[in-house]
Amino acid sequence: MDGPAGTASRVIIDPAIETVTHLVIEPKHWLGVGRLVPLDLVDTTEGGLSLRCTVVEDLPPADRAGHHQFRVVVVARVKCVPGELLTITSLNTRGIPLTGSQLAERYAAIGDGFDAGDADVVCCQEVFTYWHLRLLVRRMRSFRQVSYWRAPFGRAGGLVTFSRRPVSGTAYRRLGRPPRAPALPLRSRFQAWLKGALVTRLARPELCVINAHPVANYDGDWSAANRFYPLHRAQFAVLARVVNEAGPHAVVCGDFNLARESHLFGEFTAATGLADAFAGACPPTFRAEYLPAGAAPHCIDFILTAAEVRAESAGLVFAEKKEPLGYVSDHIGLRPAVPDT
């Protein structure tokens, strides 16, 4: 729906109450990010919508929207036209420091939430051990298909994909040997060896779901001069090859540990032709409460769609506290919807 203020391209849904909470308004005649418009500022008019706000004064870019300073689970409904909608979610499940984190209770809340929800596919990151996996499997009994790649002590890369749809195959691709970068912490070099992409192919619809989790950038600086830049660039080059090999019926999910506004993210999407399910309007997905004082939160979790897949809507999961646990993760989950073939 077009108008003077721009184009209404997406709706944001709170899946807990199955209600639309925001519209995504993309700029029409100028370059820039989309804006999140609360539904209570939207009026219906004959032949369209009107906004009771101004872009400059009332609608800062979604990355700076103060009321979204937390880590989010992302959800999207995607579609390979023609076909029915398929709902996919992505969440970094652990995140919060282990000490006093009530990990078993948080995993129970995460599993129960997904099992009671409408997601067809759930991509999880940081499911490190078989114990972590059992905690989720026990709670997500309606997800009969559980994809992962075995490693000596747990899931390869900490990646697990749950599906209510039939799965035809699973593969795992390491993100490669870390390049020489003397300034990198030893911990990061070790973690880089373990990182990869989990590729799950659904039988119906014929859709490839790629779950990825590159190494963390502990500096929060994604410029070319940063010590993590060579490592990130090498890992995303491998991930781009995995995506291109998957073909046009693919959805890529995960905690990328890469800011959306970074040059590397633009380079990655250009190399793969992937589109953001949130059309650039997803809020920061790492909770500000877990950042150092004064550090700005960023959108670092994504659900991206390939050429033959279109996101019909997108929303957030586990954005609010779940008492008495608090937040279930330091990330917020993502939830797009796509039509299947």
Side-chain angles (χ1 to χ4, degrees):
M1 183 174 297
D2 295 340
T7 301
S9 63
R10 297 283 191 278
V11 295
I12 302 298
I13 301 170
D14 182 345
I17 56 177
E18 292 293 334
T19 300
V20 176
T21 60
H22 295 72
L23 295 181
V24 175
I25 305 297
E26 295 185 41
K28 189 174 182 182
H29 299 299
W30 47 276
L31 297 175
V33 299
R35 310 287 172 139
L36 286 175
V37 182
L39 206 61
D40 57 7
L41 295 180
V42 180
D43 292 324
T44 58
T45 62
E46 186 176 350
L49 303 173
S50 66
L51 308 181
R52 287 181 280 105
C53 55
T54 66
V55 172
V56 175
E57 295 177 1
D58 300 311
L59 300 175
D63 279 347
R64 299 202 301 269
H67 60 292
H68 288 291
Q69 310 256 319
F70 35 62
R71 180 105 185 215
V72 186
V73 183
V74 185
V75 186
R77 286 189 172 89
V78 297
K79 188 173 191 178
C80 302
V81 182
E84 62 177 304
L85 289 176
L86 185 75
T87 301
I88 300 174
T89 71
S90 177
L91 174 66
N92 182 319
T93 61
R94 197 178 69 91
I96 294 171
L98 285 175
T99 305
S101 67
Q102 298 178 280
L103 185 63
E105 292 83 356
R106 289 195 294 105
Y107 264 47
I110 290 170
D112 288 345
F114 282 135
D115 200 58
D118 65 350
D120 298 289
V121 178
V122 176
C123 295
C124 295
Q125 301 90 47
E126 295 198 3
V127 184
F128 287 126
T129 68
Y130 290 106
W131 178 73
H132 288 88
L133 179 61
R134 284 195 297 270
L135 289 175
L136 292 175
V137 169
R138 288 171 184 169
R139 299 285 180 164
M140 299 174 65
R141 295 188 181 276
S142 61
F143 291 83
R144 304 300 295 273
Q145 306 291 323
V146 183
S147 299
Y148 57 86
W149 203 253
R150 289 187 176 273
F153 301 104
R155 314 285 71 74
L159 301 171
V160 179
T161 299
F162 295 84
S163 177
R164 285 170 166 155
R165 302 294 184 100
V167 170
S168 62
T170 302
Y172 183 78
R173 178 79 171 270
R174 286 181 53 196
L175 294 185
R177 180 177 180 177
R180 291 185 177 274
L184 272 180
L186 182 61
R187 174 188 177 189
S188 296
R189 292 188 60 81
F190 174 75
Q191 289 175 337
W193 281 99
L194 305 177
K195 296 297 184 179
L198 179 69
V199 182
T200 302
R201 291 193 176 274
L202 304 185
R204 296 190 308 273
E206 293 184 4
L207 185 71
C208 185
V209 180
I210 301 173
N211 185 359
H213 186 206
V215 75
N217 180 332
Y218 295 104
D219 298 340
D221 173 11
W222 291 274
S223 67
N226 184 261
R227 58 181 176 163
F228 286 94
Y229 185 88
L231 175 55
H232 262 171
R233 189 169 194 181
Q235 291 196 329
F236 277 93
V238 175
L239 184 56
R241 290 197 290 272
V242 173
V243 172
N244 289 331
E245 290 168 3
H249 294 89
V251 177
V252 186
C253 311
D255 171 9
F256 282 18
N257 282 309
L258 185 69
R260 185 177 56 218
E261 62 272 19
S262 67
H263 172 74
L264 273 180
F265 182 72
E267 188 177 82
F268 173 69
T269 54
T272 57
L274 294 172
D276 183 359
F278 281 76
C282 185
T285 58
F286 191 89
R287 302 183 192 275
E289 292 89 337
Y290 299 101
L291 290 172
H298 295 271
C299 175
I300 60 174
D301 300 79
F302 298 92
I303 296 182
L304 309 174
T305 58
E308 296 299 322
V309 184
R310 184 181 73 249
E312 296 260 316
S313 63
L316 309 177
V317 181
F318 299 124
E320 305 300 330
K321 288 184 177 180
K322 195 171 184 65
E323 301 303 339
L325 295 174
Y327 294 125
V328 298
S329 174
D330 58 359
H331 290 249
I332 300 168
L334 308 181
R335 181 183 185 277
V338 298
D340 77 33
T341 51

